Amino acid sequence: MAEEEDTRIRILQSLRGKICEGKNLGPCSGPNRQRDLCTFCTISLDQEEVFRTKVFDKSLSPFYGEDFYFEIPRPFQCLSFYVFAKGVFQRDLPVGKVSIRKEELCKFSGKEHWFGLQPVDPNSEVQGKVHLEMRLNELIIENGSMCQQLLVRIIECQGLPLISGQNCDPYATVSLPSSVTRPNSYTKKSNFPVEEEDIEKLEIKVDLWNNGNLAQDVFLGETRVSVKILRNDHIHRAWYLLQPKGNGKSKTDDLGSLRLNVTYIEDNVLPSACYTPLRTLLLKSPDIKPISASAAHILGDICRERYEAVLPVVRLLLHHSRLVPFVSAITVLELENTQEANTIFRGNSLATRCIDDMMKIVGRSYLTVTLKPVLDEICESNKTCEIDPIKLKEGDNVEVNKENLQGYVQKVFSSITQSSSSCPPLMCDVFRSLRHMASKRFPDDPHVQYSAVSSFVFLRFFAVAVLSPHTFQLRPHHPDLEVSRTLTLISKTIQTLGSWGSLSKNKLVCMDVSYQPLQHFLDEISSNVSKESSGVEDSVVLKEGEIQKRAQGRKRIGKRNFKKRWLRVTNRELSYHKHRGKEALCIIPVKDIRAVEKLYESAFNRKNMFQVLHSEKPLYVQAGNCVEASEWVEVLSQVSRCNPDRLGTFHPSAYVAGAWLCCRSLSDSQPGCKPCTPTLLANLQLDIDCDRETERIFSLLTSSYSKLQKMEDACASIAVYQGPPREQDDYSLFTIQDPKETFHTVRQITHILEELQREHDTRSGTAQYGSQENPIVGKTS
């Protein structure tokens, strides 16, 4: 088993992007045209909703502005974006959808596109796959002649959708022209007499349906298979993806369009040992002199136009405690090229991008503790703060608005300047280094030691979080227009505080801000003086949301045993509440959690279930979707990973009617029948998978291989001719201080890339077409 773990490839999927805006939503004419649509968008993996925007009021061209990011924990066929009209007294009505098949996502990666909405047709809403067996048998009939008999067996189905939140109750129909049968179960055989001359022409059609009992049966998908596949092999067994009726296409009125930014990433992560050479080379970067000849700096140089290139390097160096020396070295290089103190760290350089990413990773809980309470108040109080005479509404009082704005600014300012004890030590280390290097570079400027720090902590950290709180998980959704305007005004004030060099005491007075607390705050987060601390770790909310909880101790399985609850996990405790903001109905200390594992669907006939095993009875929870379930399991596993009493085994099903459904053991105290999932020892707040980050760096270097070759040529040219090359335009984008050292590193990178590519080619064999991992895309009607 250990050997298998050492050789397997992990396929990790993630999706990030933005639902930007809609345009002319709804039918453009006819009785269904509505002028005041209140709409919202959802994202679905196949037919499972995994993300939802807030409702946008009364606009046919709404600006949603909702960012999304999540790991995709399961295989999927199609990514869909739905637009719904919010119903007041009835259910929400679909306006239209954008569906992109998984294999087509790469066409749209990283750029905004307008997509026309397609109709939402029940016959096109399909997901899942079916395992079929077909065979031709020779049969002697009554007159003694031979004929062919076609046998079709439906072995099983996987990935079928939930119906009304429950697992569906499926059945199949199998048909040939003028011949239909309806098996009672998947394993029942369907027999068809077939003439020899018809084999080339015939195809079987398999339809999947959900048995609605008293309601109407729901179409789940279809597939068609040509009988001639049995010409050379009289037995055919394969998996087929379910398809929509008519390929899901139908003519319709113009339903409007949706502007989306979608980036799908699939990382094929090799065993850890494969990445040792590249990882070692990258981790040596802070020690290379000059720093521009290091592998990390070369990556930033050849991928400077790709915003995502710096993040995996930052995460890798961060995990191995090598980020601060690397940032210090590239900051010295940037300061050497900075001529005036008042322009310090204003560009989008490798140094500023590294520090930006570091603050976003390390400072998440710092932002939550510092800004979330005051931002919640601002977003929920709905006080008008508009002070621009042109933008004032009728009845607005500019003096009242100004007073509201000053009050909010003061609260935000106070929250920030009193937060130094919560500032993460790593951020303080970086700020201290910046302060020292800036003072050394501009010794005659008394303000530069503060502007070096304030340009990051105010301009690039707090101001950005105030402007877009939803991006930093400080608010669940993008704020509405009026609140967004208020946050913009507050953010501009915070940005002004970052311009320390041009900041006078008079300006601070105009903003109703005191100079002394501001300077004291910057001193505390960037000096060698130890910060005052209570010694008690702040309670930080790691995740919360609505779930379905099974009543503990119930012996029967039933729908009534599940109730909606608000689940909340902090670094100290797990609790559930009747509603958000209400007192806890149950509190489980994190130190008492012994395991967190997913449950088989058969346990309670429900998907996306997991269990929290602790000192009392297990807590059974159903998450809203597969993404939510994986996130809950991940955060609970990480927060409890160091508990001394963690279990080694667990039961993946329920104890019902005196027996465990998984192993049939009769004792409810019987040790588990399945090993617990190993939890990587990682920093919970950082959540860094080093092998995955190194694989991403490999992908970035590989995709920029031509630039790597150009850099190698530039180094050779400069080293030979001891001067600037003739091809100045080709080489000017590269920072080459020492051509020989840089050439040596580039050659090392090239060699490592070739070795890693061979590892991928050797291990990444495509699964056989028609297998469970690589099902056939069948025909459609």
Side-chain angles (χ1 to χ4, degrees):
M1 183 69 182
E3 186 176 342
E4 182 182 338
E5 288 291 316
D6 289 340
T7 59
R8 71 184 181 91
I9 292 179
R10 293 184 293 147
I11 299 177
L12 305 175
Q13 308 172 97
S14 63
L15 189 74
R16 72 166 66 247
K18 189 172 190 174
I19 301 175
C20 304
E21 62 178 316
K23 182 193 262 185
N24 300 325
L25 299 180
C28 62
S29 60
N32 294 326
R33 182 63 167 173
Q34 299 181 46
R35 294 183 179 179
D36 296 329
L37 278 179
C38 295
T39 62
F40 63 92
C41 294
T42 65
I43 302 177
S44 291
L45 295 173
D46 298 320
Q47 296 308 301
E48 183 179 18
E49 182 183 317
V50 295
F51 180 85
R52 178 178 291 218
T53 71
K54 72 171 187 176
V55 177
F56 198 97
D57 289 340
K58 298 182 180 180
S59 174
L60 297 179
S61 298
F63 180 80
Y64 297 108
E66 294 268 10
D67 297 288
F68 58 85
Y69 173 80
F70 49 84
E71 299 288 326
I72 301 175
R74 64 167 176 80
F76 71 101
Q77 302 173 41
C78 191
L79 176 71
S80 298
F81 298 82
Y82 291 82
V83 178
F84 286 91
K86 184 66 178 175
V88 180
F89 301 110
Q90 56 183 355
R91 65 185 180 88
D92 302 328
L93 299 175
V95 175
K97 69 174 181 178
V98 173
S99 289
I100 310 172
R101 296 197 67 83
K102 177 182 175 180
E103 57 269 21
E104 296 176 344
L105 283 169
C106 59
K107 298 178 185 177
F108 311 105
S109 182
K111 295 181 180 179
E112 291 183 359
H113 293 83
W114 281 100
F115 296 86
L117 292 180
Q118 300 297 316
V120 179
D121 176 6
N123 288 333
S124 71
E125 305 293 293
V126 304
Q127 71 174 63
K129 53 192 173 185
V130 59
H131 195 189
L132 300 179
E133 180 184 274
M134 298 166 54
R135 67 172 69 206
L136 278 176
N137 289 343
E138 291 186 343
L139 192 67
I140 302 176
I141 55 178
E142 292 179 358
N143 61 9
S145 61
M146 302 284 293
C147 80
Q148 300 277 358
Q149 182 187 48
L150 173 64
L151 283 79
V152 180
R153 186 162 70 100
I154 301 174
I155 301 170
E156 64 175 311
C157 288
Q158 287 187 356
L160 297 180
L162 297 174
I163 303 294
S164 300
Q166 302 292 311
N167 287 348
C168 57
D169 182 13
Y171 68 87
T173 63
V174 183
S175 60
L176 277 171
S178 305
S179 179
V180 178
T181 184
R182 174 172 166 167
N184 292 323
S185 68
Y186 287 143
T187 56
K188 184 171 180 178
K189 296 178 181 179
S190 304
N191 306 326
F192 302 93
V194 178
E195 298 294 334
E196 181 72 24
E197 61 269 19
D198 292 335
I199 290 179
E200 291 291 328
K201 306 173 187 176
L202 292 177
E203 65 180 14
I204 67 158
K205 177 170 172 275
V206 178
D207 289 299
L208 267 291
W209 298 82
N210 178 64
N211 184 3
N213 294 322
L214 300 178
Q216 185 176 0
D217 291 359
V218 177
F219 176 74
L220 299 176
E222 69 170 38
T223 192
R224 292 171 176 249
V225 185
S226 175
V227 176
K228 69 180 179 182
I229 202 170
L230 296 172
R231 271 289 187 201
N232 299 322
D233 188 355
H234 279 210
I235 299 177
H236 171 71
R237 179 182 289 186
W239 285 87
Y240 286 83
L241 289 176
L242 293 173
Q243 300 294 314
K245 280 187 180 178
N247 207 21
K249 295 179 180 178
S250 59
K251 293 183 179 179
T252 183
D253 201 353
D254 182 14
L255 299 174
S257 54
L258 204 58
R259 182 163 62 94
L260 304 170
N261 187 327
V262 181
T263 298
Y264 168 74
I265 297 175
E266 182 175 293
D267 298 313
N268 292 276
V269 183
L270 300 170
S272 186
C274 298
Y275 296 111
T276 300
L278 180 56
R279 185 167 52 240
T280 302
L281 186 63
L282 289 161
L283 294 177
K284 286 180 180 177
S285 293
D287 304 323
I288 300 297
K289 297 188 183 337
I291 192 65
S292 60
S294 67
H297 194 283
I298 289 171
L299 174 66
D301 235 10
I302 65 174
C303 299
R304 67 176 62 192
E305 295 175 1
R306 300 182 63 172
Y307 73 94
E308 76 276 18
V310 171
L311 183 58
V313 174
V314 170
R315 293 171 71 87
L316 184 67
L317 295 174
L318 195 56
H319 181 83
H320 290 277
S321 302
R322 300 288 284 156
L323 183 64
V324 175
F326 178 70
V327 166
S328 298
I330 59 177
T331 300
V332 168
L333 179 60
E334 177 169 341
L335 287 173
E336 288 175 358
N337 298 316
T338 304
Q339 303 305 317
E340 297 181 12
N342 60 1
T343 62
I344 193 170
F345 303 129
R346 292 301 175 88
N348 192 26
S349 64
L350 179 59
T352 58
R353 289 163 68 193
C354 283
I355 297 171
D356 281 355
D357 284 338
M358 178 276 294
M359 292 191 298
K360 289 174 184 175
I361 297 168
V362 175
R364 283 188 300 176
S365 60
Y366 179 34
L367 284 175
T368 301
V369 171
T370 306
L371 290 182
K372 188 171 179 15
V374 67
L375 289 176
D376 285 343
E377 179 186 343
I378 293 169
C379 294
E380 292 166 12
S381 63
N382 292 321
K383 288 183 180 179
T384 303
C385 297
E386 185 56 71
I387 54 175
D388 186 341
I390 299 175
K391 296 182 179 181
L392 288 173
K393 296 179 181 178
E394 187 178 348
D396 280 352
N397 186 318
V398 70
E399 291 301 321
V400 172
N401 292 358
K402 185 178 180 181
E403 187 177 326
N404 292 339
L405 180 59
Q406 286 180 332
Y408 284 152
V409 168
Q410 185 59 49
K411 285 184 178 181
V412 172
F413 176 74
S414 297
S415 296
I416 293 172
T417 55
Q418 295 172 15
S419 70
S420 59
S421 63
S422 300
C423 187
L426 187 71
M427 287 176 63
C428 294
D429 290 343
V430 171
F431 295 154
R432 182 165 55 250
S433 178
L434 292 175
R435 181 175 180 171
H436 170 72
M437 290 182 291
S439 298
K440 188 176 179 180
R441 175 68 178 86
F442 299 102
D444 298 328
D445 190 319
H447 299 295
V448 74
Q449 61 175 321
Y450 294 110
S451 60
V453 178
S454 63
S455 61
F456 283 103
V457 75
F458 285 111
L459 260 70
R460 298 171 178 268
F461 188 59
F462 286 123
V464 178
V466 169
L467 185 64
S468 303
H470 59 292
T471 305
F472 295 84
Q473 291 81 52
L474 299 174
R475 294 290 297 171
H477 297 292
H478 183 80
D480 60 39
L481 290 176
E482 189 167 321
V483 173
S484 184
R485 174 63 179 162
T486 297
L487 295 177
T488 299
L489 294 172
I490 298 170
S491 180
K492 285 182 176 180
T493 307
I494 301 300
Q495 290 178 39
T496 304
L497 297 178
S499 305
W500 184 274
S502 60
L503 199 61
S504 65
K505 291 188 178 182
N506 290 334
K507 284 184 179 180
L508 290 168
V509 171
C510 291
M511 290 185 291
D512 196 23
V513 167
S514 175
Y515 178 88
Q516 195 63 38
L518 181 59
Q519 183 176 353
H520 181 68
F521 168 71
L522 294 173
D523 281 334
E524 284 204 321
I525 64 172
S526 62
S527 68
N528 291 316
V529 180
S530 299
K531 299 174 294 181
E532 294 182 9
S533 173
S534 63
V536 179
E537 185 183 10
D538 290 326
S539 178
V540 178
V541 177
L542 302 174
K543 184 173 177 60
E544 59 182 334
E546 190 173 77
I547 50 89
Q548 294 272 352
K549 185 197 74 72
R550 185 176 187 267
Q552 292 174 277
R554 296 289 177 89
K555 296 183 179 180
R556 294 184 178 181
I557 297 178
K559 191 172 182 180
R560 293 182 180 179
N561 289 340
F562 284 84
K563 294 184 178 181
K564 284 186 180 180
R565 291 291 182 257
W566 187 263
L567 194 64
R568 188 172 187 261
V569 60
T570 72
N571 52 332
R572 295 178 182 173
E573 62 190 28
L574 171 68
S575 59
Y576 61 81
H577 314 246
K578 191 168 185 179
H579 301 290
R580 183 179 187 178
K582 299 294 184 182
E583 288 188 12
L585 300 174
C586 176
I587 296 176
I588 302 171
V590 161
K591 61 183 179 62
D592 291 345
I593 296 176
R594 305 184 68 193
V596 184
E597 297 288 346
K598 291 186 177 180
L599 281 167
Y600 291 158
E601 287 182 26
S602 57
F604 298 103
N605 197 31
R606 289 173 177 244
K607 290 188 176 184
N608 306 319
M609 286 206 64
F610 64 93
Q611 57 184 323
V612 180
L613 304 174
H614 58 111
S615 52
E616 304 295 331
K617 290 186 178 295
L619 176 65
Y620 295 121
V621 178
Q622 183 184 27
N625 55 61
C626 63
V627 172
E628 283 286 310
S630 290
E631 288 178 353
W632 277 115
V633 171
E634 175 67 17
V635 72
L636 286 166
S637 297
Q638 286 289 351
V639 78
S640 62
R641 70 189 184 281
C642 295
N643 289 351
D645 296 328
R646 284 187 66 87
L647 296 174
T649 59
F650 75 104
H651 290 286
S653 196
Y655 185 79
V656 178
W660 288 100
L661 297 179
C662 43
C663 59
R664 310 310 303 174
S665 174
L666 301 180
S667 172
D668 63 350
S669 59
Q670 177 73 21
C673 57
K674 187 177 179 182
C676 286
T677 306
T679 303
L680 295 173
L681 289 179
N683 187 313
L684 176 64
Q685 300 298 326
L686 303 186
D687 187 23
I688 294 172
D689 182 338
C690 288
D691 293 338
R692 187 179 193 179
E693 303 304 335
T694 313
E695 169 62 27
R696 287 184 174 175
I697 293 169
F698 163 71
S699 298
L700 287 163
L701 289 168
T702 302
S703 64
S704 301
Y705 193 79
S706 60
K707 289 186 178 180
L708 199 62
Q709 291 296 103
K710 276 189 177 182
M711 179 176 272
E712 183 177 324
D713 293 343
C715 292
S717 176
I718 296 170
V720 170
Y721 295 108
Q722 297 297 315
R726 291 181 181 179
E727 302 90 348
Q728 188 65 36
D729 291 340
D730 288 340
Y731 301 158
S732 61
L733 293 176
F734 305 135
T735 305
I736 303 175
Q737 295 173 290
D738 185 330
K740 291 183 180 179
E741 188 69 31
T742 306
F743 181 87
H744 176 65
T745 305
V746 170
R747 294 292 292 171
Q748 284 183 289
I749 293 172
T750 303
H751 175 72
I752 290 171
L753 294 185
E754 291 170 354
E755 289 294 323
L756 265 175
Q757 189 58 57
R758 276 194 284 271
E759 289 285 354
H760 272 286
D761 294 341
T762 302
R763 298 169 185 268
S764 302
T766 304
Q768 182 180 350
Y769 195 45
S771 66
Q772 185 174 350
E773 296 77 18
N774 189 16
I776 297 169
V777 180
K779 297 180 180 179
T780 57
S781 55

